[in-house]
Amino acid sequence: MKLTDNVLRSFRVAKVFRENSDKINCFDFSPNGETVISSSDDDSIVLYDCQEGKPKRTLYSKKYGVDLIRYTHAANTVVYSSNKIDDTIRYLSLHDNKYIRYFPGHTKRVVALSMSPVDDTFISGSLDKTIRLWDLRSPNCQGLMHLQGKPVCSFDPEGLIFAAGVNSEMVKLYDLRSFDKGPFATFKMQYDRTCEWTGLKFSNDGKLILISTNGGFIRLIDAFKGAILHTFGGYNNSKAVTLEASFTPDSQFIMIGSEDGKIHVWNGESGMKVAVLDGKHTGPITCLQFNPKFMTFASACSNMAFWLPTIDDFL
């Protein structure tokens, strides 16, 4: 089944899970789309089965807190950042709930974490104004970049380059094999003092970069030339909440939640808004991602919602 405007408009909440007592700060689908794992400000990690549509397990990280949870390529393992005590990144085996390794180095809160799509490399960005490059097999930092401001960062879908959004005003592209030589491209944007950049993502086809902000708009830019293709707005975010914006897996549509529990969807090519979906969320939709393999997506406030299309549009 292909994603079309009509199919997107037909999505409805199929299930709501109330496993958390505080907001879900992050979630991540497994690469095969069969599970999704969430981290919450209540210090819990909840694993959901997407096929059966139910929570499978809950683990706790009471001492360090948990944020920015990401699956690694090894089955049943995740990395995540701490939001209490220290700024060490932790590598956890879900199978026996034991830490495999710690990655110390950042001196302030980690605000971005991106796993390479192809190997054991990952990158982290922190309020200490650095981006660090890591390998899951070693606790030592493999590379360090000092920047002019708060970074957001992400790998491209091939795992060959990564992008860093710096100081909410420029995007720098680095070659992973020679990042110490500095960026091979820098795109300067108009600085907007009303908001900060909170995230950066590549589309699956590698052609687009989506910049999310804590203001009332998100930006779509050309990943090769850096030109702003569209600025999407018209959703509610008056309290400067960090709202996650995402691409659909076919790179065609962009979606974001809002503080009033609605999800806004745009066509990336035309820039037109194609749907506003009501998730009946009790708080701002801080997390929103499409399943990489199945025709479903998830959205979260302190509740987790799974969505399904209600029409079969095979035309």
Side-chain angles (χ1 to χ4, degrees), residues 152-164:
V152 287
C153 53
S154 181
F155 277 100
D156 83 316
E158 257 93 63
L160 297 172
I161 68 168
F162 62 89

Side-chain angles (χ1 to χ4, degrees), residues 119-135:
D119 61 22
D120 285 337
T121 313
F122 67 98
I123 50 175
S124 58
S126 159
L127 295 178
D128 63 16
K129 300 182 183 176
T130 65
I131 288 176
R132 286 177 181 263
L133 183 64
W134 309 89
D135 187 304

Side-chain angles (χ1 to χ4, degrees), residues 34-35 98 111 126 129 144 271 295:
E34 288 170 12
T35 63
K98 289 204 165 67
V111 290
S126 159
K129 300 182 183 176
L144 174 64
M295 190 60 84

